[in-house]
Amino acid sequence: RWIKFEEKVEDGGERWSAPHIPALPLHSLFQLRTCLQKGTMLLDLDASSFKEIIDKALSGHAEEAELQSELREHLTDLLLRQPRHQPTRSLLQLFAELSSSPCRALPNASEGAGTEEPGWGQLLHPGSLVAAPLPFQLRNRFKKKVPPGAEAAHVAVGEVEFLEKSFTAFIRLRRGVALGSLAEVPLPSRFIFILLGPRAKVKAYYEVGRAMATLLTDELFQRVARQAEHREDLITGMEAFLDELTVLPPGKWDPNARIPPPSCLLSPHRRTAVHVPNQLSRGNRDMASAVNRAGLGHSRSGEELERTGRLFGGLLRDIQRKARWYGSDFSDALHPQCLSAVLYIYLATVTNAITFGGMLGDATANMQGVLESFLGTAFAGFIFCLFSGQPLTILSSTGPMLVFERLLFSFSQDHSLDYLEFRLWIGLWVAFFGVVLVATEASHLVRYFTRFTEEGFCALISLIFIYDSLKKMLSLADTFPINWQYRLDNVTSYICICNLSNPCGQARGCGGPKMSVRDPFLLPTLSPQPPTATAGLSRTQCLSRGGHLLGPGCQYVPDVTLISFLLFGGTFLSCTALKHFRSSRYFPAGVRKLVSDFAVILAILTSCAIDAALGLETPKLLVPSELKPTNPARGWIIFPFGANPWWVCLASAVPAVLVTILIFMDQQITAVILNRREYKLQKGAGFHLDLLCVSLLMVVTSVTGLPWYVSATVISLAHMESLRKESASSAPGEHPEFLGIREQRLTGLAVFVLMGVSVFMAPVLRHIPMPVLFGVFLHMGVAALSSIQLTDRVRLLLMSAKHQPDLAYLRHVPLRRVHLFTIIQLLCLALLWVLKSTMAAIIFPVMV
């Protein structure tokens, strides 16, 4: 049988072989061409049953004078026999059959029609073909592999002893007709090919039948066969097939070897384009190859970035383009995959908000802290997903914004200015400049961003995610130090006692030995007086009573750092392995897809269960539980006047220009990356509308003293990857086809609603270990870094030429130029990394 690749029933007759590319003898194709030239050909035949088709085929035989009535009866009786199908069984069905009949004998090869050869007769049942599908056809699992709208073609070949000359017929029905139990699964049939002949040529007939089946699975020949009006049209289509034929020399390969299907196939359009350059000049061939290469990479959005020449013209186009999809943005989210995406991105966003909130609190004396980060992320993200042009984008605080906030706070402190009021005016100016950029259609400049720029930016953000996750884990060794001087022989000396000999506790000026429990590297000193040891007191009780801890075992927390790193690495490896489980060989396709969709959630739940079972006090996710500003000195509304001189509102325009450039570059580069052609987005982009939403959100977040937000590249890419759509039914041997991204607004809205209510879920969230979330961060960074071409080209630097993969650009660009381009890109990336590590990090988007 064929769908796209050939499958054979193995010698035991119990299972189908693995799908493989059919290898045809060249002579069988020439014989098939002769059969089509001389045999019966009926095009657009009107018939409603297989018996009617056979009757018309036999009556329309070119040499019908030689077909006597007796031969016709024999042929009719033979062709109307019920074929013996080999149904596709599940593993459970095979076990059930084995347990019910463990001693079942193999079928006898001679059980067939008495006058036919065993090679033909063993494929037929003694009974006749029935008009209705048989029960096993309706239950056949193979039906799930057939794409929607498919039609069947039947190829019947064999040798019989009552024919002296071969009988050949090619039949095309005017419309697809259900032929009852003829097909393995109930499908409408369109083509029928019959080849019967005398004995001693069964091998030749078999190969001719394989050649015909291979032709009918070829998409280009299918078009010819459906549109052919005469015999010559079919012959011409076969000649075109022969023109594309590749011949393997004998002795250089094993004819019995089965060639596995490739990971990707040329589309019919590209197959037809392959022969065009033979008629072109060298210059035109270079141009054609350049066009083909452009189709392999990313493309620039066309209509979205065309200038209209009118104020807000691009914005109005974005609104008109997205308005017709607004209803489907909610209905398209009704899929279990979206639930997995919500949970995955929610946990990533929570971790990011806590991380940046803590750093903002340190940089601004808690004028902005973790709670402000939570509320700002929830509000800004929800509004953006509700009204933006690309709702798959996830808003978040970014590193350059953090640097700017730190510089602005220091400047305000040095010049006795109110930080939040100064920041309010900067935010208002940024919003104004953003609206001006939208009105003048400045987003059309995005078309000048190249792959060099996009990959540099994406690689930098991905490396920051990887570096930060590793840095956070290494910092655990400071909080929970490891006793590198541990000796098993000295185990009796590793004790920790509570000393209450100092009644005044830890007050300044009190004598007695004292150790700060917050400094794990400070070794305890022994008291010259015998300490008053109190048994049964916990560490907290000891310190609350004014005591202090003594002993070499007080500074270490056993096993916490080790288990934290195991949870971190285990989560990362589990996420990566389960994500790739979709292409595994184990379990049914539905199970593999479900596990792959929920890979990150399964990894997090598994790691949390292991942590809970061990019961160690690993660092947990801490979420604010009260709705009040982190700094009690500030309120929820920032007033524009009163604390600073009047000229500050005008001077704020200067730093606002820098922030505007930063936001424009960061937002638009991320938007370009998310709207690449390879993601197959159908609803279009909204560059102008997205920039307007970010600009207007600057007003609200500045007035309320919340952090400023812009598109987060890595989290947005993770959001899109978690919403990948693939074909549900794929032919045996064919890899699932990537259909695009599940474009909708509901996952983003749900993520930010959960962010808003996280304050009330603190008792549940505090059971999630932070090392687990850092492992998810590492997975996101590695996944984003692996998705860009730069990573592949870096691998090429480390490979010898004979081991390099067959990449498309290596066929057209000299290897030394590829290496030169990669080295320049790496040097620029290193420069950006150095730049972002200094106080000049605020201008790094401009450098990109």
Side-chain angles (χ1 to χ4, degrees):
R1 67 183 181 190
W2 283 256
I3 290 185
K4 284 197 172 184
F5 304 101
E6 183 181 17
E7 295 176 86
K8 298 178 181 178
V9 178
E10 302 287 17
D11 291 338
E14 292 294 322
R15 65 182 292 269
W16 288 100
S17 69
H20 55 275
I21 299 174
L24 303 173
L26 186 61
H27 191 62
S28 66
L29 290 167
F30 296 147
Q31 288 179 316
L32 175 61
R33 181 173 57 183
T34 303
C35 292
L36 294 178
Q37 289 173 340
K38 297 182 178 180
T40 300
M41 184 166 295
L42 302 176
L43 301 179
D44 292 334
L45 179 67
D46 281 320
S48 57
S49 66
F50 190 56
K51 185 178 186 308
E52 185 179 355
I53 294 172
I54 296 302
D55 291 340
K56 291 185 177 181
L58 295 178
S59 62
H61 188 250
E63 301 177 0
E64 56 183 352
E66 300 182 10
L67 276 181
Q68 302 174 359
S69 59
E70 183 179 356
L71 291 180
R72 290 187 188 181
E73 291 178 1
H74 277 296
L75 286 175
T76 302
D77 178 67
L78 177 66
L79 293 173
L80 292 180
R81 294 282 184 89
Q82 170 62 47
R84 175 177 295 166
H85 296 297
Q86 176 63 42
T88 302
R89 300 181 180 92
S90 66
L91 188 61
L92 293 178
Q93 290 174 328
L94 291 176
F95 281 139
E97 292 179 5
L98 184 63
S99 60
S100 62
S101 54
C103 299
R104 183 181 55 184
L106 292 176
N108 189 354
S110 62
E111 292 180 357
T115 57
E116 291 83 15
E117 288 291 322
W120 170 258
Q122 66 182 356
L123 301 179
L124 299 176
H125 281 291
S128 300
L129 193 72
V130 296
L134 298 175
F136 84 88
Q137 291 179 282
L138 301 176
R139 298 192 304 265
N140 197 340
R141 292 166 50 87
F142 184 66
K143 184 169 55 176
K144 297 180 180 180
K145 295 292 184 180
V146 179
E151 293 179 324
H154 304 275
V155 177
V157 296
E159 59 176 6
V160 291
E161 61 182 9
F162 56 80
L163 282 180
E164 298 179 357
K165 292 185 178 181
S166 62
F167 169 75
T168 307
F170 180 86
I171 304 164
R172 184 187 70 197
L173 302 178
R174 184 179 299 275
R175 54 185 175 83
V177 177
L179 298 181
S181 59
L182 181 63
E184 182 180 352
V185 292
L187 287 175
S189 301
R190 179 70 65 140
F191 297 101
I192 299 172
F193 178 76
I194 302 172
L195 173 59
L196 298 176
R199 291 190 170 194
K201 294 184 179 180
V202 63
K203 180 64 176 176
Y205 300 151
Y206 173 71
E207 295 297 342
V208 171
R210 291 181 63 240
M212 186 74 253
T214 304
L215 271 175
L216 289 174
T217 57
D218 183 75
E219 295 184 24
L220 296 182
F221 184 81
Q222 281 182 27
R223 297 178 185 176
V224 175
R226 289 178 181 275
Q227 300 172 3
E229 298 180 357
H230 307 285
R231 186 190 303 268
E232 290 74 16
D233 296 334
L234 275 179
I235 303 301
T236 303
M238 187 172 179
E239 295 290 347
F241 180 86
L242 291 173
D243 289 340
E244 293 188 64
L245 204 62
T246 300
V247 178
L248 295 175
K252 302 300 181 182
W253 76 297
D254 183 6
N256 296 321
R258 293 170 178 172
I259 305 174
S263 57
C264 60
L265 298 172
L266 283 177
S267 65
H269 172 72
R270 292 182 62 191
R271 281 178 56 190
T272 55
V274 168
H275 299 280
V276 175
N278 295 331
Q279 303 172 358
L280 301 177
S281 64
R282 177 178 177 83
N284 290 336
R285 287 201 303 268
D286 293 341
M287 181 64 67
S289 64
V291 171
N292 289 336
R293 292 196 302 272
L296 297 176
H298 72 290
S299 70
R300 196 61 55 237
S301 301
E303 179 189 359
E304 295 93 336
L305 298 176
E306 290 180 357
R307 299 200 64 174
T308 63
R310 305 187 308 272
L311 284 178
F312 296 102
L315 175 64
L316 294 177
R317 274 189 176 182
D318 285 352
I319 295 175
Q320 293 172 356
R321 185 185 312 109
K322 303 300 291 189
R324 62 191 180 97
W325 297 106
Y326 200 78
S328 65
D329 283 344
F330 294 91
S331 60
D332 290 347
L334 303 179
H335 191 276
Q337 186 182 24
C338 295
L339 175 62
S340 167
V342 168
L343 298 176
Y344 173 28
I345 302 303
Y346 164 67
L347 292 174
T349 308
V350 164
T351 308
N352 194 60
I354 290 176
T355 303
F356 277 98
M359 291 188 291
L360 270 174
D362 295 338
T364 63
N366 286 329
M367 288 297 179
Q368 298 178 75
V370 176
L371 180 63
E372 287 81 4
S373 180
F374 264 74
L375 296 180
T377 302
F379 172 77
F382 183 86
I383 297 300
F384 185 86
C385 287
L386 196 59
F387 299 108
S388 66
Q390 183 48 273
L392 297 175
T393 304
I394 301 296
L395 294 190
S396 174
S397 298
T398 59
M401 285 294 186
L402 177 62
V403 173
F404 179 82
E405 297 279 11
R406 181 182 292 113
L407 294 176
L408 181 63
F409 183 79
S410 300
F411 181 86
S412 301
Q413 294 293 102
D414 295 340
H415 296 82
S416 302
L417 298 175
D418 185 84
Y419 161 70
L420 291 179
E421 183 179 315
F422 190 15
R423 181 178 179 275
L424 167 62
W425 281 106
I426 294 176
L428 295 177
W429 277 109
V430 171
F432 171 74
F433 292 147
V435 173
V436 171
L437 291 176
V438 173
T440 56
E441 300 180 307
S443 295
H444 84 282
L445 297 174
V446 170
R447 66 173 62 247
Y448 299 109
F449 292 170
T450 63
R451 177 181 286 275
F452 187 94
T453 303
E454 297 171 28
E455 289 187 345
F457 183 81
C458 186
L460 179 65
I461 302 301
S462 302
L463 289 175
I464 290 175
F465 263 66
I466 297 172
Y467 172 79
D468 285 346
S469 60
L470 295 175
K471 181 180 177 182
K472 290 287 185 182
M473 288 303 302
L474 292 175
S475 67
L476 289 178
D478 297 335
T479 308
F480 307 99
I482 301 173
N483 188 0
W484 298 106
Q485 284 76 36
Y486 178 83
R487 296 294 181 271
L488 183 61
D489 192 51
N490 300 332
V491 66
T492 56
S493 64
Y494 298 131
I495 58 174
C496 181
I497 61 174
C498 176
N499 183 13
L500 295 177
S501 62
N502 185 7
C504 60
Q506 295 182 355
R508 181 175 296 179
C510 293
K514 181 171 59 179
M515 184 190 77
S516 173
V517 296
R518 297 193 179 188
D519 189 357
F521 296 104
L522 182 61
L523 294 176
T525 58
L526 295 179
S527 173
Q529 302 175 356
T532 304
T534 304
L537 291 181
S538 66
R539 173 181 176 276
T540 304
Q541 292 172 337
C542 176
L543 296 178
S544 64
R545 293 188 181 186
H548 52 274
L549 304 175
L550 287 179
C554 298
Q555 57 181 322
Y556 304 115
V557 183
D559 304 324
V560 169
T561 300
L562 174 62
I563 193 61
S564 296
F565 272 94
L566 291 177
L567 291 174
F568 170 74
T571 304
F572 167 69
L573 295 177
S574 299
C575 289
T576 305
L578 293 178
K579 270 294 182 183
H580 292 91
F581 193 69
R582 186 189 301 265
S583 57
S584 170
R585 296 177 181 268
Y586 303 102
F587 298 101
V591 176
R592 298 198 305 267
K593 184 177 184 301
L594 186 66
V595 171
S596 178
D597 289 342
F598 288 85
V600 178
I601 305 305
L602 292 175
I604 292 175
L605 292 177
T606 303
S607 299
C608 291
I610 294 174
D611 177 74
L614 295 176
L616 294 176
E617 295 182 359
T618 52
K620 299 297 192 296
L621 179 64
L622 298 179
V623 179
S625 56
E626 295 180 344
L627 289 174
K628 62 181 182 179
T630 307
N631 191 326
R634 57 155 291 183
W636 286 117
I637 301 296
I638 310 302
F639 295 97
F641 299 103
N644 291 334
W646 64 269
W647 50 265
V648 172
C649 63
L650 300 178
S652 302
V654 178
V657 173
L658 190 59
V659 178
T660 303
I661 297 175
L662 187 152
I663 289 178
F664 179 82
M665 297 294 292
D666 207 345
Q667 172 68 35
Q668 301 297 42
I669 291 177
T670 302
V672 167
I673 293 173
L674 297 182
N675 288 283
R676 285 176 175 173
R677 174 182 293 178
E678 50 258 41
Y679 289 121
K680 299 183 179 180
L681 300 181
Q682 302 296 322
K683 300 182 180 180
F687 294 93
H688 309 280
L689 183 56
D690 290 348
L691 184 59
L692 179 66
C693 290
V694 171
S695 301
L696 295 181
L697 285 172
M698 291 289 292
V699 177
V700 181
T701 54
S702 300
V703 170
T704 55
L706 300 177
W708 292 331
Y709 295 96
V710 74
S711 296
T713 307
V714 172
I715 299 181
S716 300
L717 283 174
H719 188 202
M720 295 189 69
E721 288 294 329
S722 65
L723 293 170
R724 291 171 64 93
K725 293 190 299 183
E726 293 183 342
S727 56
S729 62
S730 55
E734 181 186 23
H735 293 266
E737 181 185 0
F738 173 61
L739 302 178
I741 304 296
R742 206 172 296 280
E743 301 175 64
Q744 36 73 45
R745 299 179 184 270
L746 205 55
T747 54
L749 292 174
V751 165
F752 294 112
V753 167
L754 289 176
M755 281 290 298
V757 301
S758 293
V759 176
F760 307 103
M761 296 192 300
V764 177
L765 295 177
R766 64 166 55 104
H767 293 289
I768 303 177
M770 287 302 295
V772 173
L773 298 181
F774 293 146
V776 175
F777 259 47
L778 179 63
H779 167 71
M780 292 168 58
V782 171
L785 191 63
S786 303
S787 66
I788 58 177
Q789 191 191 87
L790 173 63
T791 306
D792 296 332
R793 287 187 276 106
V794 170
R795 293 194 189 105
L796 293 179
L797 290 172
L798 308 176
M799 292 183 190
S800 60
K802 65 179 180 179
H803 295 302
Q804 291 175 354
D806 185 19
L807 301 174
Y809 51 83
L810 291 181
R811 297 185 179 187
H812 305 282
V813 184
L815 185 60
R816 63 179 182 276
R817 294 185 66 87
V818 174
H819 288 339
L820 178 62
F821 183 81
T822 305
I823 292 173
I824 294 175
Q825 209 167 8
L826 290 176
L827 291 175
C828 292
L829 182 60
L831 177 62
L832 287 174
W833 184 269
V834 173
L835 186 66
K836 81 92 188 169
S837 303
T838 64
M839 298 302 291
I842 190 174
I843 64 171
F844 104 89
V846 181
M847 298 298 294
V848 172

